[in-house]
Amino acid sequence: MATATVPPSPPKKVNRIGLDVQEYRGGKTTLCAGCGHNAISERIIEACYELGIEPQRVAKFSGIGCSSKSPAYFLGSAYGINAVHGRMPSVATGAMLANRQLLALGVSGDGDTASIGVGQFVHLMRRNLPIVYIIEDNGCYGLTKGQFSATADIGSKLKTGVVNDLPPIDTCVLAIQLGATYVARSFSGDKRQLLALLKGALAHHGTSMLDVISPCVTFNDHEGSTKSYSYVKDHDEPLEDVSFVPFFEEINVDYDPGTTREVTLHDGSHLLLRKLDRDYDPTNKHESLRALTDAHDKGEIVTGLFYVETHRPTFIDLLNLADEPLATLPESRVRPPKQVLDEVMQSLM
Ligand SMILES: Cc1ncc(C[n+]2csc(CCOP(=O)(O)OP(=O)(O)O)c2C)c(N)n1
Ligand code: SF4
Ligand SMILES: [Mg+2]
């Protein structure tokens, strides 16, 4: 009797380091269905998979909030730590100094960053620590039932009708002024732009700060909110059309240098920024701050890459650390020998 042959299953699709996308996933989300934060986790998974990042090299950092829970839902085999509310920057700084070979990925909320955490945030930005710092920005404290955060716009309304009468903190303006070297804003609903900006952030050497407007469908998606899906869609004004070409691919699109600006990142990857209705130079700090101020005055939400500086040394470079991670140096290399200590003591006598 002839035996039935089972057709071979199609080969698994894998990335350049031989991993399939499942390896980049995490636990099942416990956030509300439709929460913008879930869309951001999906883009992080896609970006890391497509770039061929080794999940075990990544260290995920977060604070407290719905946003800060989201690292549990991607890169399940990476390191991960939930810090205290608003204190993720100091934990991430310590970890990066102990092991400079990690790829740091921080996820915070607008409350975690701009309210309780603003003191730590500003020092992280001025240090230019190599980290991708993502703010999942819904203008409210989602986890504690939707109170206004410090990024809520003046005049924005809570569901109860309460109006916010304080001006917002613009985290991108702060980051640019203080010294972050890759600063962008995007929208969780704009898959293409967010994916390109995330890949650029991962390829950048220094602090990449991405403020991603990420609507809270449960507490801040109503009429009168300036962080609802419909409001952001209607007021989103992209600065440029962003494409990312990784270092391991040839740039095979034809582009006119008169209309497209090319930025080469540290690892040899490229960002192609195609001009839309204005001429914009993301390497000019003054221009970036002006674009943000003008957008505020006009009530527009400008998105895209605002600022990039590829040559500034990072905090790790400035500290002149050994190439090997401090965490794995043997005691003989981290403790001065007795003779050196004796010499120091002698010099103080
Ligand atoms: C020291 C401290 N203060 C207050 C809280 C309560 N708390 C938990 S999450 C949160 C705000 C979270 O807002 P955000 O960072 O914007 O995250 P979201 O939930 O909106 O994603 C607050 C105030 C806390 N956990 N710890
Ligand atoms: S409460 Fe808001 S921020 Fe939190 S998971 Fe639900 S939709 Fe997202
Ligand atoms: Mg929030």
Side-chain angles (χ1 to χ4, degrees), residues 31-32 35 37 66 138 142-143 215-219:
L31 302 182
C32 307
C35 175
H37 303 350
C66 299
N138 51 20
L143 190 72
C216 168
V217 288
T218 303
F219 297 111

Side-chain angles (χ1 to χ4, degrees), residues 156-213:
S156 185
K157 271 195 197 142
L158 289 183
K159 261 184 168 172
T160 54
V162 175
V163 175
N164 180 32
D165 44 21
L166 290 173
I169 290 180
D170 188 319
T171 50
C172 291
V173 169
L174 267 188
I176 296 167
Q177 278 176 338
L178 291 166
T181 44
Y182 181 104
V183 180
R185 175 164 287 136
S186 190
F187 171 39
S188 61
D190 186 341
K191 289 186 185 180
R192 194 177 166 275
Q193 184 199 49
L194 178 55
L195 184 62
L197 288 171
L198 268 172
K199 287 180 176 173
L202 287 159
H204 177 66
H205 183 59
T207 298
S208 299
M209 207 299 285
L210 253 84
D211 179 54
V212 186
I213 302 172

Side-chain angles (χ1 to χ4, degrees), residues 112-157:
D112 195 64
T113 290
S115 298
I116 196 169
V118 76
Q120 296 226 345
F121 174 72
V122 294
H123 289 284
L124 182 73
M125 295 302 116
R126 64 193 268 275
R127 286 182 168 149
N128 197 29
L129 185 82
I131 185 171
V132 177
Y133 187 100
I134 299 168
I135 306 174
E136 301 190 338
D137 187 356
N138 51 20
C140 71
Y141 303 162
L143 190 72
T144 55
K145 299 199 181 302
Q147 304 86 344
F148 287 126
S149 76
T151 68
D153 287 309
I154 195 161
S156 185
K157 271 195 197 142

Side-chain angles (χ1 to χ4, degrees), residues 2 21-22 71 102 173-175 184 189 245 253-254 258 286 300:
V21 71
Q22 289 311 327
L102 295 172
V173 169
L174 267 188
V245 184
V253 278
D254 257 351
H286 297 290
E300 288 172 359

